[in-house]
Amino acid sequence: MPKPDCRHIQVTGLVQGVGFRPYVYRLAQRLGLQGEIRNRSSGVSITVQGQMAVLDQFLTELRRNAPGQRHEFSVNVAAATAHSDFVIAPSQSDAGIAGTLLADQAICEDCRREFHDQSDRRYHYPFISCTSCGPRFSICRRLPWDRINTSWSRFSLCAACRQEYESPLDRRFHAVGISCPDCGPVLFTADGLQGEAAVRQACAVLERGGVVAVKGGAGFHLLVDAQNPAAVARLRERKRRSKPLAVLAPTFEWVLENAHTEAAERAALKGSAAPIVLLKACGGIHESLAPGLGTLGVMLPSSGIQLSILRMLQRPLVATSANLSGAPLIHENDTALSALAGIADAFLLHDLDLVQGLDDAVLRVMAGQPVSLRLGRGFAPQIHTVPVAHSSLGCGAHLKVNLAMQERHTLIVGPYIGDLQGAGNRQRYLQQKSTMPAFFQIDAGTEVTDLHPDYGSSVEADDHALTVPHHVAHAMAVWLEHQPEPPFQALTWDGVGLGPDGTVWGGECLQFDAGMEWQRLGSIRPFQLPAGHDIARFPGRIARVLSGETYPGRSIACSSMGRLIEGLAALAGLREENLFEAQVAMEWEALGHRASQALHMDFSWVGADLDWRPLLPLVADRSVSLSARALGFHQALARAALRQCRLGRGDSVLLSGGVFQNRLLVELMVAGARELGLKLLLPGRLPPNDGSIAAGQCVALAMGAKQIGVAQQCA
Ligand SMILES: [Zn+2]
Ligand SMILES: [Zn+2]
């Protein structure tokens, strides 16, 4: 027998919280190898010893089948190991970038089966989880991913759990979140009921039409019976919320009965993030939850806690983030009890501490592709690879803010925080800014923020922060996901963002050439945007400006596509005031979706800029149905967008900005692009809205994006 060889293998990527160590342990045992595996902050290190041919087989299987994502392996010859067997060794901290932890994972199929299995010892256990599922980022204090570093640390394992934890063949072998009814957390009510009795009481309140605050795996939800209009109205009134409400569906079958779904939507619903998916509604339930929109946000239960409630009630529930206006999602019992006292009729709490509150993620399928709209639970933290190494901290913009941080080639994108107007959100933002780089062991270096000096991110940025124009950050975020070779174009259409020329941009077509040099290829005919932070609330004012009235107050030149669309929809007679963000645009889209006929209209051109004036009389023509005008407008916009892109160099077009949350517009454009030989590249993991700005800022800096012929600080 030849002398055995020994190898040291370092694995980085998403390797923690995925059952990586148990997998490797079983593989090494099966092949009769000696050595050890341990988690480090920056990844997993393996020492493995055996005959060369067997080591090769080990490496082949490891590369092919190891759980997790984005693995990178480095293999080196090592000195002989002292182990006579293969063991899982204690974790160690090290100095590398800790991009190892997966986002929270919704309950897996195996755990769901056990939850419903009367003979299983975790039957109806609300905190059921395994190596493949359960809370991750929301309960992790520091890396490496080990029970001692999470909120599970204060729950000692019972003998039965200990045995599973130590049994290589058990599916909870070394599961960080292993627990059971004998040793795990408990659900309880504010008045001291526990376990099943607590759930029963919460369900009784829901049945009577009450509002219940429920602590889940990543924060608090407010729940009401979705089929009880009085209960829904009560929730809206107490939360002073007119936004669309999402539904927590009791079963997948319920979703199929109440919405039209396509394959990508069904896959997203059942995916490991269990996001809210915006579906085309049928049945009547959406009319009280998302009136006038034709869509319904639906999610499936993501935890045993939600299953515990739904199995008793067997009906759909409205589930909305429990937060106060301008403040982040509540994730602590004490805060919930005080802040939600006037909103919730009852509380269902538990004693597993949440380190981070994570809102539900939101997703919409457009042109068959899943597009994230909110980086919530399950979608963040996100890890990307940037082709050029750099160090930076992306500070975001002002709305839908999150953080991003890059060191070397690794870019980590943090979760959705919210809008920075509110003091509570701003506090959460600053807290993340001071803790997240350390959590991920990233030396983020330079801060990079929005060009607009009054945005919350810029106000809070340090004095030496670099700036990136808003729409360049938008473009670079989508570029990161597809990385087309220049030349390419980016259509960046959103509400408002400061352009480098000092005017308000938002309807730009940017041309990118070699070296990420960019210039504005085209835009829209500018109009005077009434000043004031609440202008987005009053599309009627924009309609009057577009019609030629002079606005009496202060105004600023703008080329905002978002405001133009809303102004035209208001001109059509849809509504003067938005009760929630972009309401009139969403209703306009919904009308277009439903239309059987379209009123033909077209933009005219001033050079490469779209001139909207020819649309005014047609959009305002009350002799034609609203829906025909809505569809005609969307068709005209899609045609004009594609024609504008054809004026540029390159066949790839990135779509970015909040306007591209409009499915009707995106699908009309995708259909038209094929004929013109254009390739439209949609946002995917990063959202089209400002939730991608922080990431785009880091990428713009790393890639050296710069405006042609303009001396500048950066970008
Ligand atoms: Zn599981
Ligand atoms: Zn136990």
Side-chain angles (χ1 to χ4, degrees):
M1 192 74 131
K3 199 164 152 286
D5 280 291
C6 190
R7 292 284 178 275
H8 183 253
I9 306 162
Q10 189 74 28
V11 193
T12 56
L14 290 173
V15 291
Q16 295 184 13
V18 295
F20 195 93
R21 288 175 299 174
Y23 168 81
V24 171
Y25 176 91
R26 288 186 204 111
L27 177 61
Q29 287 286 344
R30 177 159 59 78
L31 298 176
L33 298 169
Q34 297 87 47
E36 61 170 43
I37 177 168
R38 67 173 86 225
N39 271 350
R40 295 179 185 275
S41 325
S42 65
V44 166
S45 81
I46 305 167
T47 305
V48 66
Q49 179 171 286
Q51 298 302 321
M52 201 56 229
V54 187
L55 287 181
D56 284 344
Q57 188 185 347
F58 175 84
L59 272 168
T60 306
E61 289 201 29
L62 183 68
R63 286 179 202 270
R64 192 179 299 151
N65 300 327
Q69 297 163 29
R70 312 174 71 81
H71 300 132
E72 284 182 33
F73 298 88
S74 80
V75 182
N76 292 296
V77 176
T81 171
H83 292 292
S84 57
D85 197 354
F86 194 88
V87 298
I88 295 184
S91 300
Q92 280 179 349
S93 298
D94 66 0
I97 299 168
T100 52
L101 181 65
L102 209 59
D104 290 36
Q105 302 287 295
I107 185 168
C108 72
E109 274 309 309
D110 287 336
C111 285
R112 189 187 294 266
R113 200 173 308 119
E114 288 177 1
F115 181 91
H116 291 296
D117 177 0
Q118 271 191 53
S119 66
D120 194 277
R121 70 187 195 89
R122 292 187 180 83
Y123 176 56
H124 288 172
Y125 176 53
F127 300 91
I128 189 166
S129 72
C130 69
T131 50
S132 309
C133 75
R136 297 289 188 265
F137 185 60
S138 57
I139 56 153
C140 188
R141 293 201 171 83
R142 68 192 76 83
L143 291 167
W145 175 246
D146 247 319
R147 195 166 172 102
I148 191 73
N149 292 334
T150 70
S151 303
W152 290 107
S153 62
R154 67 189 188 85
F155 298 92
S156 307
L157 297 188
C158 69
C161 285
R162 165 73 51 197
Q163 199 190 356
E164 290 172 344
Y165 186 85
E166 290 171 355
S167 303
L169 295 180
D170 194 279
R171 68 185 199 86
R172 291 191 177 83
F173 178 49
H174 273 265
V176 164
I178 188 171
S179 71
C180 75
D182 292 332
C183 66
V186 285
L187 290 173
F188 56 90
T189 62
D191 50 8
L193 292 175
Q194 285 203 355
E196 186 124 347
V199 179
R200 211 173 297 121
Q201 192 200 58
C203 289
V205 174
L206 288 167
E207 256 175 341
R208 290 198 301 268
V211 179
V212 180
V214 176
K215 184 181 182 183
F220 275 83
H221 282 107
L222 291 168
L223 301 183
V224 293
D225 181 349
Q227 290 167 324
N228 180 339
V232 175
R234 193 169 299 127
L235 174 67
R236 284 194 187 281
E237 184 194 309
R238 291 187 192 169
K239 241 200 130 188
R240 289 193 289 268
R241 185 188 164 120
S242 38
K243 289 185 206 175
L245 295 167
V247 168
L248 175 61
T251 59
F252 187 59
E253 290 66 37
W254 184 91
V255 182
L256 300 182
E257 284 161 20
N258 287 275
H260 298 285
T261 60
E262 52 182 77
E265 292 167 335
R266 293 190 291 275
L269 280 164
K270 290 185 152 186
S272 63
I276 294 171
V277 182
L278 296 189
L279 300 174
K280 190 174 170 200
C282 58
I285 195 165
H286 66 286
E287 277 308 334
S288 69
L289 304 180
L293 302 186
T295 54
L296 183 64
V298 181
M299 64 180 153
L300 289 171
S302 57
S303 68
I305 299 169
Q306 292 179 341
L307 282 179
S308 299
I309 297 167
L310 290 169
R311 78 171 175 86
M312 278 195 198
L313 282 176
Q314 313 248 342
R315 71 181 76 176
L317 298 170
V318 165
T320 184
S321 301
N323 64 330
L324 300 181
S325 176
L329 180 71
I330 294 168
H331 64 282
E332 286 161 326
N333 290 346
D334 291 347
T335 317
L337 288 168
S338 58
L340 302 175
I343 297 177
D345 298 303
F347 290 83
L348 187 60
L349 309 165
H350 62 70
D351 53 351
L352 180 66
D353 293 335
L354 302 179
V355 181
Q356 308 272 351
L358 298 168
D359 287 84
D360 294 312
V362 183
L363 176 142
R364 189 174 204 186
V365 171
M366 296 192 267
Q369 298 171 49
V371 177
S372 313
L373 300 187
R374 183 164 73 196
L375 298 186
R377 168 188 52 75
F379 282 4
Q382 246 178 45
I383 299 171
H384 296 260
T385 303
V386 185
V388 175
H390 210 285
S391 286
S392 65
L393 176 68
C395 299
H398 192 69
L399 304 174
K400 302 181 176 64
V401 162
N402 63 345
L403 293 166
M405 53 212 78
Q406 182 181 354
E407 185 185 342
R408 282 175 269 163
H409 293 281
T410 302
L411 176 73
I412 296 182
V413 183
Y416 167 89
I417 297 170
D419 300 348
L420 288 181
Q421 287 105 314
N425 281 342
R426 201 173 279 223
Q427 200 182 345
R428 173 75 53 93
Y429 172 80
L430 291 174
Q431 182 218 337
Q432 284 199 6
K433 215 171 153 183
S434 67
T435 58
M436 266 186 45
F439 180 89
F440 290 110
Q441 300 187 175
I442 282 222
D443 180 8
T446 319
E447 288 192 4
V448 51
T449 187
D450 196 275
L451 191 58
H452 199 305
D454 299 334
Y455 279 0
S457 56
S458 303
V459 171
E460 303 295 352
D462 71 33
D463 294 343
H464 309 293
L466 300 175
T467 59
V468 170
H470 193 81
H471 300 94
V472 174
H474 265 309
M476 294 315 292
V478 190
W479 179 83
L480 178 68
E481 299 205 61
H482 302 278
Q483 303 192 9
E485 286 292 328
F488 60 87
Q489 293 124 64
L491 272 186
T492 57
W493 286 1
D494 65 355
V496 294
L498 185 61
D501 61 357
T503 69
V504 172
W505 286 18
E508 310 333 298
C509 180
L510 306 179
Q511 171 74 47
F512 284 81
D513 289 302
M516 286 298 170
E517 291 197 329
W518 67 270
Q519 57 189 308
R520 183 152 75 153
L521 178 74
S523 182
I524 62 172
R525 179 189 168 80
F527 55 93
Q528 287 299 118
L529 182 71
H533 68 277
D534 63 345
I535 182 60
R537 217 178 110 190
F538 298 105
R541 290 184 194 162
I542 295 169
R544 286 189 285 281
V545 169
L546 296 175
S547 308
E549 279 181 35
T550 308
Y551 184 70
R554 227 161 40 81
S555 62
I556 178 171
C558 96
S559 54
S560 162
M561 181 59 79
R563 295 292 100 83
L564 175 68
I565 292 173
E566 297 200 353
L568 290 172
L571 187 68
L574 211 43
R575 65 169 58 247
E576 290 274 303
E577 181 183 353
N578 280 331
L579 301 179
F580 53 87
E581 186 193 358
Q583 181 182 17
V584 75
M586 289 158 78
E587 290 170 338
W588 190 226
E589 178 198 347
L591 281 166
H593 263 298
R594 280 207 295 276
S596 50
Q597 284 185 319
L599 175 66
H600 184 84
M601 54 185 88
D602 256 324
F603 287 82
S604 65
W605 294 82
V606 184
D609 292 349
L610 278 60
D611 187 342
W612 36 266
R613 286 176 300 179
L615 304 186
L616 297 175
L618 295 160
V619 161
D621 184 354
R622 303 290 205 273
S623 71
V624 179
S625 74
L626 254 178
S627 60
R629 286 179 275 153
L631 181 57
F633 168 76
H634 281 87
Q635 289 175 342
L637 187 56
R639 273 195 306 275
L642 294 173
R643 189 174 148 193
Q644 191 176 44
C645 292
R646 258 285 150 246
L647 300 174
R649 293 175 291 282
D651 297 330
S652 297
V653 179
L654 307 172
L655 301 187
S656 184
V659 168
F660 295 112
Q661 299 174 104
N662 181 325
R663 178 174 176 165
L664 175 61
L665 175 64
V666 168
E667 294 188 343
L668 286 168
M669 286 175 65
V670 168
R674 285 187 206 113
E675 287 168 29
L676 294 173
L678 286 172
K679 193 170 166 201
L680 299 190
L681 303 172
L682 272 59
R685 294 172 68 209
L686 293 168
N689 57 47
D690 282 5
S692 65
I693 291 292
Q697 289 165 340
C698 291
V699 179
L701 197 62
M703 301 307 296
K706 55 190 169 295
Q707 193 175 6
I708 290 174
V710 177
Q712 53 207 319
Q713 189 182 16
C714 141

